[in-house]
């Protein structure tokens, strides 16, 4: 475990009404503890998961458009509005790692293509060929299988966006193989990934960030109810208003 706590310096924020300070889940945030090597952020769309993950990536000096420290490219790079108000405490400080966001993976792939290095070298960490020549899911998994290493911090924003259920399981196996030495913080909606054993799960719902059990996440409850009885749930959903 490397990153130990993420503290919100609420006493320093300029106001509570502008983004990102206006995000409800931040309003009651003091500190997030990261006691396990796998941490998940869950919550409704717009609940603030990406904003916080991006601030952490910024403070780690990973490019906030996605990538590690060595990947300094500017395509759609966004400044984190929150990082000035976050403090990270480390158990052991490390600089290796990766910030992966589904939306900017395309630009990341282009950045690798444009690197001024022989193909054998520049694609070595990505399955031996351009990420553009692999399907979205394949290229994601290539990255996970080849670039992920030990003693690193991985910040992943909705990695499941590109992955079939089977490949989500493959990702979990890769995480398992690295878990002893690498740390992951993953924002996700995937009821599969969230089932990772003994992970810490933080919910960003209801205007607060709090640890929850897997079985108590909305993701688990809704998916389970749906798969148990799709017809019943859809009948309810499609029912004409009286
Ligand atoms: N650059 C921005 N400027 C203003 N508001 C933003 C910006 N980015 C996100 N937001 C808003 O902040 C809230 C949290 O967004 P985000 O962190 O992306 O949520 P999540 O990742 O949980 O879906 C949302 O209401 C979103 O519309
Ligand atoms: Mg998001």
């Amino acid at each position: 475990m490397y990153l130990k706590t993420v503290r919100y310096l609420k006493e320093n924020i300029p106001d509570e009404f502008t983004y990102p300070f206006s995000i409800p889940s931040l309003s009651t945030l003091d500190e997030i503890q990261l006691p396990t090597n796998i941490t998940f952020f869950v919550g409704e769309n717009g609940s603030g998961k990406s904003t916080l993950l991006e601030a952490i990536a910024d403070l780690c000096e990973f490019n906030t458009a996605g990538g590690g420290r060595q990947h300094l490219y500017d395509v759609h790079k966004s400044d984190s509005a929150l990082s000035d108000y976050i403090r990270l405490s480390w158990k052991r400080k490390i600089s290796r790692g990766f910030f992966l966001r589904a939306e900017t993976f395309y630009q990341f792939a282009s950045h690798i293509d444009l690197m001024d290095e022989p193909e054998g070298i520049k694609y070595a960490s990505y399955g031996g060929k351009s990420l553009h020549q692999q399907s979205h899911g394949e290229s994601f998994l290539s990255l996970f299988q080849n670039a992920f290493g030990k003693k690193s911090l991985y910040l992943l924003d909705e990695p499941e966006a590109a992955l079939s259920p089977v490949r989500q399981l493959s990702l979990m196996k890769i995480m398992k193989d690295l878990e002893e030495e690498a740390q992951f913080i993953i924002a996700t909606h995937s009821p599969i990934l969230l089932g990772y054993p003994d992970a810490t799960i933080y919910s960003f719902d209801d205007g607060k960030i709090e640890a929850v059990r897997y079985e108590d996440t909305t993701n688990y409850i809704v998916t389970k109810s749906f798969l148990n009885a799709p017809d019943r749930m859809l009948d309810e959903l499609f029912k004409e208003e009286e």
Side-chain angles (χ1 to χ4, degrees):
M1 202 248 298
Y2 304 103
L3 187 57
K4 201 172 56 171
T5 51
V6 177
R7 209 165 100 70
Y8 185 36
L9 307 175
K10 206 183 305 147
E11 58 278 16
N12 296 353
I13 66 170
D15 67 77
E16 295 169 5
F17 312 106
T18 50
Y19 173 83
F21 317 113
S22 54
I23 296 174
S25 62
L26 292 181
S27 66
T28 54
L29 176 62
D30 178 30
E31 195 171 85
I32 297 180
Q33 309 271 358
L34 306 171
T36 53
N37 269 348
I38 312 284
T39 304
F40 291 107
F41 291 172
V42 293
E44 254 320 311
N45 296 119
S47 59
K49 306 178 297 296
S50 296
T51 299
L52 187 58
L53 203 59
E54 186 177 281
I56 297 170
D58 195 7
L59 290 168
C60 291
E61 295 176 46
F62 301 158
N63 187 314
T64 47
R69 273 197 180 184
Q70 70 277 35
H71 301 295
L72 296 175
Y73 60 103
D74 271 335
V75 205
H76 291 295
K77 181 178 179 327
S78 50
D79 288 324
S80 165
L82 189 63
S83 56
D84 286 347
Y85 305 92
I86 296 286
R87 182 161 302 150
L88 304 181
S89 322
W90 299 83
K91 192 166 177 199
R92 268 182 298 162
K93 180 91 168 79
I94 46 165
S95 55
R96 276 181 47 163
F98 206 97
F99 175 39
L100 182 74
R101 48 194 326 166
E103 309 99 284
T104 49
F105 191 63
Y106 186 90
Q107 280 92 353
F108 178 73
S110 302
H111 161 72
I112 302 293
D113 280 354
L114 292 171
M115 277 166 65
D116 193 14
E117 281 179 17
E119 300 208 343
I121 292 179
K122 69 180 175 184
Y123 297 135
S125 296
Y126 311 106
K129 59 180 176 179
S130 167
L131 292 168
H132 283 307
Q133 288 169 22
Q134 307 175 43
S135 82
H136 200 192
E138 284 170 344
S139 56
F140 255 62
L141 217 58
S142 284
L143 181 68
F144 294 136
Q145 280 164 336
N146 297 290
F148 282 16
K150 302 193 166 170
K151 295 193 173 32
S152 298
L153 173 63
Y154 296 110
L155 308 172
L156 311 180
D157 199 352
E158 297 188 26
E160 74 274 14
L163 299 174
S164 72
V166 169
R167 288 196 166 158
Q168 292 182 38
L169 295 172
S170 306
L171 171 59
M172 291 166 89
K173 173 72 170 91
I174 294 170
M175 289 162 61
K176 187 73 194 164
D177 291 342
L178 293 173
E179 189 193 348
E180 291 284 302
E181 292 193 64
Q183 185 173 4
F184 289 80
I185 305 177
I186 304 178
T188 187
H189 296 296
S190 166
I192 296 178
L193 293 184
L194 286 172
Y196 195 96
D198 303 320
T200 305
I201 303 178
Y202 282 109
S203 160
F204 282 53
D205 287 335
D206 306 319
K208 55 182 188 270
I209 300 178
E210 64 174 355
V212 291
R213 290 170 55 233
Y214 173 50
E215 294 81 2
D216 293 333
T217 60
T218 310
N219 313 55
Y220 176 92
I221 293 167
V222 172
T223 307
K224 190 163 167 49
S225 319
F226 184 82
L227 293 177
N228 280 346
D231 293 346
R232 181 147 38 94
M233 202 176 218
L234 291 174
D235 282 349
E236 187 63 27
L237 181 69
F238 297 160
K239 202 166 57 185
E240 298 284 338
E241 299 277 321
E242 306 267 308

